[in-house]
Short mmCIF file of all heavy atoms in Angstrom, two decimals:
data_model
loop_
_atom_site.label_atom_id
_atom_site.label_comp_id
_atom_site.label_asym_id
_atom_site.label_seq_id
_atom_site.Cartn_x
_atom_site.Cartn_y
_atom_site.Cartn_z
N ASP A 54 90.53 141.55 162.83
CA ASP A 54 91.67 140.86 162.24
C ASP A 54 92.49 140.18 163.35
O ASP A 54 93.03 140.90 164.22
CB ASP A 54 92.53 141.85 161.45
CG ASP A 54 93.42 141.18 160.43
OD1 ASP A 54 93.65 140.00 160.56
OD2 ASP A 54 93.95 141.97 159.57
N ASP A 55 92.63 138.88 163.34
CA ASP A 55 93.53 138.16 164.25
C ASP A 55 93.06 138.29 165.65
O ASP A 55 93.87 138.27 166.62
CB ASP A 55 94.98 138.61 164.17
CG ASP A 55 95.68 138.09 162.88
OD1 ASP A 55 94.99 137.59 162.00
OD2 ASP A 55 96.90 138.20 162.82
N TYR A 93 93.98 131.92 158.10
CA TYR A 93 94.49 133.30 158.03
C TYR A 93 93.84 134.12 157.05
O TYR A 93 92.92 133.70 156.29
CB TYR A 93 95.99 133.31 158.07
CG TYR A 93 96.81 132.80 156.88
CD1 TYR A 93 96.32 132.75 155.67
CD2 TYR A 93 98.12 132.38 157.11
CE1 TYR A 93 97.20 132.34 154.55
CE2 TYR A 93 98.90 131.87 156.05
CZ TYR A 93 98.42 131.87 154.79
OH TYR A 93 99.13 131.39 153.80
N CYS A 94 94.37 135.43 156.89
CA CYS A 94 93.63 136.55 156.41
C CYS A 94 92.99 136.41 155.01
O CYS A 94 91.74 136.46 154.93
CB CYS A 94 94.52 137.80 156.37
SG CYS A 94 95.34 138.13 157.91
N ARG A 98 88.91 135.96 153.55
CA ARG A 98 88.20 137.11 152.98
C ARG A 98 87.71 136.67 151.51
O ARG A 98 86.65 137.22 151.11
CB ARG A 98 89.15 138.30 152.86
CG ARG A 98 89.38 138.94 154.29
CD ARG A 98 90.74 139.69 154.40
NE ARG A 98 91.03 139.78 155.84
CZ ARG A 98 90.74 140.76 156.60
NH1 ARG A 98 90.15 141.76 156.17
NH2 ARG A 98 91.16 140.63 157.91
N LYS A 147 90.87 147.02 155.26
CA LYS A 147 91.81 146.20 154.62
C LYS A 147 91.16 145.32 153.54
O LYS A 147 90.17 144.73 153.76
CB LYS A 147 92.36 145.23 155.72
CG LYS A 147 93.14 144.04 155.31
CD LYS A 147 93.75 143.34 156.50
CE LYS A 147 94.15 141.88 156.23
NZ LYS A 147 94.92 141.29 157.30
N HIS A 229 95.52 143.18 164.30
CA HIS A 229 96.66 142.56 163.64
C HIS A 229 97.87 143.34 163.93
O HIS A 229 97.85 144.58 164.11
CB HIS A 229 96.41 142.53 162.09
CG HIS A 229 97.32 141.69 161.30
ND1 HIS A 229 98.68 141.87 161.19
CD2 HIS A 229 97.05 140.60 160.53
CE1 HIS A 229 99.24 140.96 160.38
NE2 HIS A 229 98.22 140.14 159.96
N ASP A 287 88.57 137.40 161.23
CA ASP A 287 88.93 136.67 159.95
C ASP A 287 89.59 135.38 160.23
O ASP A 287 89.70 134.48 159.37
CB ASP A 287 89.74 137.54 159.03
CG ASP A 287 91.11 137.83 159.57
OD1 ASP A 287 91.35 137.79 160.79
OD2 ASP A 287 91.99 138.13 158.73
N ASN A 288 90.13 135.20 161.44
CA ASN A 288 90.76 133.93 161.93
C ASN A 288 91.04 134.05 163.37
O ASN A 288 90.74 135.10 163.94
CB ASN A 288 92.07 133.62 161.09
CG ASN A 288 93.00 134.86 161.13
OD1 ASN A 288 93.18 135.56 160.07
ND2 ASN A 288 93.60 135.08 162.28
N LYS A 310 95.89 130.88 165.00
CA LYS A 310 96.05 131.25 163.56
C LYS A 310 96.98 130.41 162.80
O LYS A 310 98.04 130.08 163.38
CB LYS A 310 96.47 132.74 163.54
CG LYS A 310 96.72 133.30 162.08
CD LYS A 310 97.22 134.74 162.16
CE LYS A 310 97.48 135.29 160.79
NZ LYS A 310 97.94 136.63 160.82
CA1 CA B 521 93.91 137.78 160.04
#
Side-chain angles (χ1 to χ4, degrees):
D54 198 345
D55 286 14
Y93 67 27
C94 309
R98 288 154 205 268
K147 163 171 162 173
H229 195 294
D287 69 336
N288 49 255
K310 175 181 180 180

